[in-house]
Amino acid sequence: MDIYGEKVNRLIGELGRLPGIGGKTAQRLAFHIINMPEEQVESLSAAITDAKKNIRYCKSCYTITDQELCPVCASPKRNHKLIMVVETPRDLAAYERVGQYQGVYHVLNGVINPAMGIGTGDIRLKELILRLEREDVEELIIATNSSVEGEATAMYISKLVKPSGIKVTRIASGVPVGGDLECIDEVTLLRALEGRTLL
């Protein structure tokens, strides 16, 4: 039954296409937008349109940016001999929030996943290898997720890069703060054990 009319239903439908937005959330967002002052709605609309038209990939690390180089790659204060490989721009942002890493990044924009039809040519592996040939890199930190696909991608990158003599490391993963050991899977426990450090 049509309760709101075509224009409201269209707005709810479009918002519902966004990832993680269900029907109720789409409806709540639609009502919020309808009740916003017109200048705020125009500002939101302009920001979405501007982002879509002007956001691109950084020509060095392939994160999203509105410049030729992202702020991390453009910074002379960063250690450009240290590259951390991550899956997505969101992963890069997570490490930046920690505020301790001073190197640069390479964003794969995916992982190898044959079940989904994603092969080595579908992510930014070729660009990583070309970058390692061009730049003076001392260490490559692989920070893909601990999923089956993330692990397979990490192993593939390691096999590609190790013959070049560049040091290849993998981030440690293990027991989360506040986690009970009995509730943690065996792979995570093993990674925690292997990644142990001196006290």
Side-chain angles (χ1 to χ4, degrees):
M1 184 169 110
D2 185 3
I3 301 171
Y4 307 116
E6 181 186 341
K7 298 201 183 298
V8 176
N9 288 334
R10 180 175 175 219
L11 179 58
I12 293 169
E14 291 298 326
L15 291 168
R17 291 175 179 223
L18 297 172
I21 305 293
K24 288 182 181 179
T25 302
Q27 186 176 23
R28 191 169 64 248
L29 288 171
F31 290 154
H32 178 78
I33 291 168
I34 290 165
N35 290 313
M36 286 168 58
E38 193 167 333
E39 62 272 5
Q40 285 183 8
V41 174
E42 288 172 1
S43 179
L44 174 62
S45 175
I48 292 170
T49 303
D50 187 47
K52 183 61 183 166
K53 286 181 179 176
N54 297 303
I55 300 295
R56 64 187 91 166
Y57 289 113
C58 171
K59 76 172 192 173
S60 180
C61 76
Y62 295 93
T63 192
I64 53 173
T65 184
D66 59 358
Q67 302 295 318
E68 195 169 316
L69 287 175
C70 71
V72 173
C73 289
S75 173
K77 295 179 180 177
R78 304 300 286 243
N79 179 359
H80 291 261
K81 294 185 177 201
L82 181 63
I83 298 177
M84 182 186 291
V85 178
V86 295
E87 291 181 22
T88 68
R90 292 186 308 276
D91 298 331
L92 183 156
Y95 275 101
E96 284 300 290
R97 280 194 301 274
V98 172
Q100 298 299 309
Y101 178 67
Q102 293 305 310
V104 293
Y105 299 90
H106 187 86
V107 182
L108 295 172
N109 288 295
V111 286
I112 300 167
N113 187 345
M116 299 292 289
I118 301 169
T120 57
D122 299 314
I123 59 177
R124 300 287 184 171
L125 280 176
K126 181 178 73 173
E127 292 84 351
L128 174 63
I129 300 306
L130 290 172
R131 184 177 179 188
L132 295 176
E133 290 170 358
R134 269 192 330 260
E135 299 176 19
D136 180 22
V137 177
E138 293 176 355
E139 182 179 355
L140 187 72
I141 303 168
I142 303 175
T144 53
N145 290 323
S146 292
S147 64
V148 172
E149 297 81 13
E151 292 293 337
T153 303
M155 292 300 294
Y156 185 81
I157 293 170
S158 178
K159 285 180 183 177
L160 280 179
V161 176
K162 275 188 178 177
S164 70
I166 295 170
K167 180 180 177 183
V168 179
T169 58
R170 177 86 168 108
I171 58 165
S173 64
V175 181
V177 175
D180 291 326
L181 292 180
E182 64 186 85
C183 299
I184 296 170
D185 66 274
E186 292 82 8
V187 175
T188 302
L189 287 173
L190 179 61
R191 289 293 297 275
L193 182 63
E194 290 172 345
R196 67 190 184 278
T197 56
L198 290 170
L199 290 176

